[in-house]
Amino acid sequence: MRLDKLGGYLQIGSVGPQSISPLISKIKNIGPMPIIGIYYDLSYGRKPQTLLIIDGPTTSSHILANPVRWQGPKAPPNDVTEDVPELLGELINVLLPPGLTTEQRHSEKSVIFSFVRDLNQIRRDYVQKDFTHSYVLNNVTALIGTHPFLLWQELIPANWSGPIVIRSPAYLDHLRKLLLGYQNRVIHNALLLLFALNTLPPGRPSPLICAKATNWALPEVTSALFIGQYSERVIQHAIHRTEEMFEFMKQHLKRAPSLRGAALVRLSQLKVQAKVWPTLFNRTEIATILDRIEISSDNWFENVLKIYQLNKDRSSYRNISSESSHTAYAYPQIARIYYDSLSHSIVVPLSAVLVPYFNPVLPPYLHYATLGTAMAKEILRSITKAFESKVMTCVPSSVDIFSNASRMDLLIHSGGMQIAYHTLLSLTGPIKGMNRLPGLSLTPPQIFYLMSAQELCAESEYNGVDVNSNDFDEILTWLISQGGSASDVFQCHSSTMLSYQKNCDIW
């Protein structure tokens, strides 16, 4: 019924709409937009102002986000990890009318799959995770002149008079080319399906899918449930140790001879944000949020669209108050550390530090191999972008199985591991004499390298990479070698894979 109200399926041979902007505008009024995202945030500085930000699709795989980003926690940058959504084929069968021939059904499926695959490819390659390549336009007229392929006056609020930030210009340029390459009829049908897929859970029902989907739809409530498992003392102690580790790595990096100029200034100004959004401790406030949500039927699609409307209504109150701040709080249950460029801070969710490896009774090489490497990666992202030339010269050819973004992530993981390892050495001296783990014959340096590789392995597997392939074996051995002394640490013969020499200093 919802899809029919949006225009429904357009038959083969029918004349498509002159513009897809009216459809995008209709979708924007009722649910998540499939090809662009429009939201609000605060500018950086002592006197922040409200920005309207245009980006790639902001439907995070983690969170159904509030359009006013400073009114609560922020989700980490969205990664597109699949060519086509799992349920696309099944949903196409629901949308296509029964009168089509077998050949027509095959043709429609093929062209819709092709559009979605191409869209996800440009999202992977060109949607930015920061504001490095962004620029500001003063008004909607300037926006229409710069990117005329959409009717922006139908998408931007009529009363908006502030600055407009184009976060990912290359994405919009490639989106325009993509839209010119397909019939508007095909784009219309594909956008209906993407709208539905953005609203439904990401796969067939299972405990994991249902837990992820509920967390996505009700992030504040599930965040409060997560926080409620721990005492305030445990939480504050973990946050303090995280902040301390960040400062140790920051001070160590400041002494690096290769770090100078603008990068050194950015490092000096960089903060860590590991504190919890205070509202999550306020059970009355969380209960009020939950009371606004009316679950009236056993209908996921209908209920999520109601929640979307509540978020949209909240976004109408976007005036900056004395309580508005640049503090980028994380959703505590999403265990992904990330760099937030608008607040110039490394955002650390609570679930990333309340883990066994960060237990204070364990030796520090476990802390630095896991949380230390993860934070150091984001520190590198925040202070310099000059890694492009090293991606092709440093990273082994087997990494071609990944996208450009994954290739860069691997290089930064290597740099983060080096920073964490050498920070630990600067604090403790040689780690060979540290307490060993009971029952393991491995030395502390060996455990450090293996733990860092294990973290990359877990992250890659979560993102759908085949970690059992020979290519991935080569990537792991290259990564471990970047510590500078891996072949010595593991006492490897020159004929073994782990005899790689360190070839990639990036800091």
Side-chain angles (χ1 to χ4, degrees), residues 322-358:
S322 59
E323 297 162 2
S324 302
S325 73
H326 283 298
T327 306
Y329 295 107
Y331 284 101
Q333 73 280 33
I334 300 176
R336 180 175 168 188
I337 298 168
Y338 66 95
Y339 168 62
D340 178 67
S341 53
L342 285 179
S343 63
H344 192 44
S345 58
I346 307 301
V347 184
V348 183
L350 197 60
S351 55
V353 298
L354 293 176
V355 292
Y357 293 140
F358 199 55

Side-chain angles (χ1 to χ4, degrees), residues 74-90:
K74 292 183 180 181
N78 192 25
D79 290 325
V80 181
T81 59
E82 56 188 2
D83 289 334
V84 294
E86 178 185 334
L87 298 179
L88 178 59
E90 188 175 337

